[in-house]
Amino acid sequence: MPQPRLVPEPTHLALLPGRFTFDDTTALRVSPGAEAAAGLLRTLLGPAAGLPLPARPDGSVVLALDRALTGLGEEGYGLTIGTEGVLLRAARARGLLAGVQTLRQLLPVEALRAEPAAGIEWSVPCAQITDTPRFPWRGSMLDVARHFRPVSFLRRYVDLLAFHKLNVLHLHLTDDQGWRMPVAALPRLTEVGGLPHGGAYTRAELTGLVTYAAERGVTVVPEIEMPGHVRAALAAYPELGNQPGRTYDVWDRWGVCDTVLGVHDEALDFCRTVLDEVADVFPSSYVHVGGEECPTTEWHASPSARRRAADEGLAGPQALHGWFMERIGRHLLDAGRRPLGWTENGADLPPYFTVMPWRDAGHGRTAARRGQQVVMTPHRTTYLDYPQSADPGEPPGQRGGIVDLRAVHKTDPAPTEWSAEESAQVLGAQAQLWTEYVPTAAHAEYLAFPRLCALAEVVWTGRHDWAGFQERLRHHRTRLDALGVPRRLSATSSSLAPVSSAPP
């Protein structure tokens, strides 16, 4: 009897004889606290299977929240499938949501389609599954600043993340090329900064996205870049910069722009106002404030910046970066949030920041040794804007190398050579999809999958069984096809199949 080919692979799976079949008579027995999981199961199975799955005290599919199951942690679950019924248990609601996704993968692939599928027996194999993730942070960063994606795509992307038990959508909302986050007190940010490459979100769209994601066990973590990568903000409010009287355009090029925020009080007040609005919209305990690729040329040339450095007793304008991040970080701490930033060497952000090392995995170890929490994001294994292969039909991507499926699968957030104390500082890992070279939704999904499947595997199970993963992925690709995730039409064509308009 072949094992079910699940991605990510469960921690423990034992196949049992027989199958359980969902049909028009199947009902749910829902314990207090499990209502969200029941609703999600109905929502996900409705389009293809059309099953009502009503709640009844004698339902054969039991969804139970049991706080005594402490060994399952925040997101683990136990799933027992017998010929007469199904029991899904967890200590926390997010564990039940993860179990629902496993049930989806156990069903025939037709269950994933957006339209009714006739003549299908909606059965799952009998099994005993106990499943807990290795890491609490299993993320995907999506850059909507360089190329704007409508909120309908963000909801679909959330669905795809949840399907693979990835639980963080890191939303890169601002950069030199665009500002997508509305701030009521600063309307020109989106009126001016939101024009290139798409547009901007409304507050209602973002709050709705947060709710939609939470219903699927996904946290939306916002990122507002500072003090660099702010050309779109300076185009809206040039007085925040370092050159009085200068006007700016929203940058229409890629790369690192040398215009940065000033360090005068008005610039700091601007940042606090923006972050207060962000905190109102996004309940995530983490707020990302960028921090990387901040040229200091303007600060060296600015009398105001040099005076600020001298007044603060700093060694020079180059030290204003750390000074700036300290003030922004403290503001977030005072608001009850955890500051998060990109680190370029592992020691360039205040010690209470959670850091994302992107240049080199070794920088994560440096930060861990300083006692900082770390989310691993090294570009050579987690940057999905790099091409997946050297095939001549590969769509254009970031220059500098190939990040193929095997490279992502080799990601190890806490390598064995790290000490136990260092490994304990690692929250998990995250893949980055920068969008300079990603003009369409189909292109974005093509770049994300199946590489996000590989990341999901290593951050959930911690295993690096490449042969086993490949075998399971061959079947899982049929699930992605059913969900409308595009692949290249041929090995020599860069054309992409269209993305389904319906959510997974």
Side-chain angles (χ1 to χ4, degrees):
M1 189 181 301
Q3 289 280 92
R5 290 162 290 186
L6 305 178
V7 176
E9 186 178 25
T11 308
H12 171 79
L13 185 155
L15 206 57
L16 304 173
R19 301 182 72 84
F20 174 83
T21 300
F22 290 83
D23 59 28
D24 289 340
T25 68
T26 303
L28 308 182
R29 192 188 321 169
V30 184
S31 79
E35 294 86 0
L40 181 62
L41 185 62
R42 294 187 189 101
T43 296
L44 295 176
L45 296 191
L51 300 177
L53 299 177
R56 287 207 308 259
D58 62 346
S60 56
V61 177
V62 180
L63 306 179
L65 199 63
D66 185 349
R67 303 285 183 183
L69 298 172
T70 55
L72 293 176
E74 290 292 322
E75 297 178 277
Y77 64 93
L79 178 61
T80 303
I81 303 171
T83 56
E84 300 299 320
V86 174
L87 173 61
L88 173 60
R89 299 193 303 162
R92 298 287 186 270
R94 291 179 76 169
L96 294 177
L97 298 177
V100 166
Q101 299 294 346
T102 296
L103 272 175
R104 289 182 78 201
Q105 290 199 20
L106 289 170
L107 282 160
V109 69
E110 290 84 0
L112 303 173
R113 299 194 181 279
E115 62 281 337
I120 305 296
E121 182 182 85
W122 303 113
S123 69
V124 293
C126 294
Q128 176 69 56
I129 298 174
T130 304
D131 206 6
T132 57
R134 180 186 178 194
F135 293 104
W137 189 297
R138 306 179 305 279
S140 174
M141 190 284 297
L142 181 63
D143 170 20
V144 294
R146 272 57 174 270
H147 277 103
F148 180 75
R149 297 264 67 85
V151 75
S152 58
F153 176 81
L154 300 187
R155 290 187 174 214
R156 174 177 165 81
Y157 200 74
V158 162
D159 277 315
L160 290 169
L161 296 184
F163 186 59
H164 295 88
K165 299 183 177 67
L166 296 168
N167 65 349
V168 174
L169 171 60
H170 169 180
L171 207 53
H172 184 81
L173 288 161
T174 71
D175 217 296
D176 295 314
Q177 297 84 4
W179 187 286
R180 315 302 180 189
M181 167 78 193
V183 179
L186 299 160
R188 286 178 58 81
L189 286 174
T190 50
E191 291 171 358
V192 175
L195 292 179
H197 310 298
Y201 302 107
T202 66
R203 181 184 175 111
E205 285 178 325
L206 292 176
T207 56
L209 174 68
V210 166
T211 299
Y212 185 89
E215 291 169 348
R216 287 149 179 79
V218 176
T219 299
V220 182
V221 173
E223 180 181 358
I224 305 295
E225 281 273 9
M226 58 184 71
H229 286 284
V230 292
R231 181 65 171 258
L234 295 179
Y237 296 99
E239 64 272 17
L240 301 174
N242 293 282
Q243 300 179 44
R246 179 180 175 181
T247 59
Y248 303 83
D249 55 1
V250 180
W251 225 34
D252 60 359
R253 286 166 283 163
W254 312 131
V256 179
C257 184
D258 63 358
T259 50
V260 302
L261 286 175
V263 290
H264 47 297
D265 290 343
E266 292 80 2
L268 290 170
D269 288 342
F270 162 81
C271 293
R272 297 183 186 109
T273 298
V274 169
L275 292 176
D276 288 347
E277 183 102 0
V278 168
D280 282 344
V281 172
F282 297 94
S284 163
S285 59
Y286 291 91
V287 175
H288 203 302
V289 288
E292 90 291 8
E293 294 181 331
C294 178
T296 60
T297 306
E298 287 193 335
W299 291 342
H300 281 274
S302 164
S304 173
R306 293 198 304 269
R307 184 165 57 251
R308 173 71 87 177
D311 290 346
E312 297 293 337
L314 303 176
Q318 69 279 357
L320 286 167
H321 177 269
W323 174 88
F324 186 101
M325 299 307 290
E326 169 70 22
R327 270 137 193 83
I328 294 304
R330 289 293 173 188
H331 181 74
L332 287 172
L333 286 180
D334 291 343
R337 303 304 176 94
R338 299 178 183 180
L340 178 62
W342 304 106
T343 179
E344 300 197 75
N345 59 30
D348 51 349
L349 291 173
Y352 52 83
F353 266 63
T354 298
V355 301
M356 290 183 169
W358 64 276
R359 288 191 180 274
D360 189 272
H363 298 159
R365 192 175 193 180
T366 299
R369 286 173 171 170
R370 298 178 76 211
Q372 290 178 281
Q373 290 190 319
V374 179
V375 177
M376 294 298 284
T377 59
H379 71 290
R380 288 301 181 191
T381 59
T382 69
Y383 271 37
L384 306 185
D385 53 326
Y386 285 103
Q388 301 188 61
S389 75
D391 188 294
E394 189 74 22
Q398 187 69 259
R399 295 181 295 274
I402 302 295
V403 175
D404 60 14
L405 186 68
R406 184 70 185 270
V408 179
H409 191 264
K410 286 181 177 178
T411 300
D412 192 344
T416 54
E417 62 267 23
W418 288 26
S419 70
E421 293 76 16
E422 292 164 351
S423 297
Q425 297 302 113
V426 178
L427 296 177
Q430 179 175 284
Q432 283 53 247
L433 183 50
W434 303 104
T435 60
E436 291 97 324
Y437 304 98
V438 188
T440 67
H443 195 171
E445 289 192 15
Y446 165 74
L447 290 174
F449 295 97
R451 288 185 289 184
L452 275 181
C453 302
L455 183 81
E457 179 89 356
V458 297
V459 293
W460 182 272
T461 68
R463 300 173 190 149
H464 288 82
D465 176 10
W466 173 243
F469 171 69
Q470 284 184 300
E471 192 278 329
R472 283 179 289 109
L473 186 62
R474 277 191 287 272
H475 176 68
H476 191 70
R477 180 68 253 191
T478 67
R479 297 187 184 113
L480 296 178
D481 290 342
L483 292 169
V485 176
R487 61 166 89 189
R488 284 212 311 276
L489 297 177
S490 72
T492 58
S493 170
S494 61
S495 299
L496 302 175
V499 180
S500 167
S501 60

